[in-house]
Amino acid sequence: MRYLVTGGAGYIGSHVTLALLEDGHDVTVLDNLSTGHRAAIPTGARFRHVNLADSAALDAILGETHWDGVLHLAALSVVGDSMKSPFHYIRQNMLTSLNLIEGCVRHQIMRFLFSSTAALFDDNNTTLLSETSPINPSSPYGESKFLIERSLKWADRLHGLRYGCLRYFNAAGADEQGRLGEDHRPETHLIPLAIDTALGRRPLLRVAGNDYDTLDGTCIRDYIHVSDIAKAHLLVLARLDEKSVTYNLGTGKGFSNLDVIRTVERVTGQSLPWTWCPRRKGDRAILITDPSRIRKELGWRPRHTEIESIIETALRWRLRHPDGYGTPHKDAYQRI
């Protein structure tokens, strides 16, 4: 199959691109490199430097050959930033996605896989979140993703575009062979920040909020290995031959911020200096999914179900790439 992957130079997008290539597909990555890295695009994938807001340039690519499907992972995705710039987030994520959806309909590309989020669920729901749980986004980021999901439903209803919405919980970890990893600039995710602090690359880790309604007062999250997310994409693409679908991607287990800190200390063998800082606007206390639908319908089973395993792969990547996508260190695996 021939696929387009938007945001394929990013963290999740690069892992999805790698999974597609290893499954024998022809892949072209579309990315403007505003947050992604050219070096993150796996060998074998074609690359087109394009801004999805440029509808003319995007339309030319969509119409230049036959595409079997589009995987849309490009977006502004930092919850805290969306609380500071709500209209920018909603406008940017909606405009680029609508350009892509309309282009697919125009060129009869009838399979569309969308990277959504768990940030669209209602903040008052304290149970495991299923695909039918109430939706009420607590941030403009989550709102933008929900609006895109609604647009895809209309594209299906009116034009026959079969779509898959994958609602990620907390993506973490790195490719087990050390080929790809997490390199956000600036970094906002807890696991890479904690690892860098334990390795002495950051002086102090700031933990946002200790007054949540949880056992230790910190946020609880369902961490899912990025390669398990990539595997789910392959399964859902095949499902789109039959119908449109929506799935939550997670393990069904929750770990608090303090759980993560203690696990990073255990895995690295290093004490991790940290302190409290105020809550981040838009953060929910608990986000844990019920992954039973995708398990039942597609047989998806994550390989990494324990936080230790996820953190170990992230640590290997960081040791091998201390500067992100810079010079690799060949002895990294022998140093942990």
Side-chain angles (χ1 to χ4, degrees), residues 194 216 218 256-270 272 274 307-308 311:
D216 63 20
T218 67
S256 74
N257 288 348
L258 293 187
D259 289 333
V260 171
I261 289 173
R262 296 186 190 104
T263 305
V264 168
E265 289 182 325
R266 187 163 60 250
V267 171
T268 62
Q270 302 294 324
L272 194 164
W274 62 274
I307 194 67
E308 287 87 354
I311 289 173

Side-chain angles (χ1 to χ4, degrees), residues 222-241:
D222 187 336
Y223 289 92
I224 175 174
H225 195 278
V226 64
S227 295
D228 288 325
I229 291 177
K231 175 62 176 177
H233 282 71
L234 300 181
L235 296 173
V236 175
L237 278 174
R239 185 68 163 181
L240 297 186
D241 289 336

Side-chain angles (χ1 to χ4, degrees), residues 94-148:
M94 278 298 298
L95 173 64
T96 54
S97 298
L98 286 176
N99 283 345
L100 190 60
I101 294 167
E102 286 185 299
C104 286
V105 169
R106 186 161 46 250
H107 295 285
Q108 293 293 296
I109 306 168
M110 289 302 168
R111 292 200 299 170
F112 193 105
L113 191 47
F114 174 53
S115 168
S116 192
T117 179
L120 49 71
F121 289 110
D122 189 275
D123 196 27
N124 294 319
N125 194 321
T126 58
T127 61
L128 293 181
L129 294 163
S130 72
E131 288 79 1
T132 58
S133 293
I135 289 177
N136 184 23
S138 58
S139 69
Y141 163 66
E143 186 71 34
S144 72
K145 292 286 190 174
F146 180 53
L147 291 172
I148 296 164

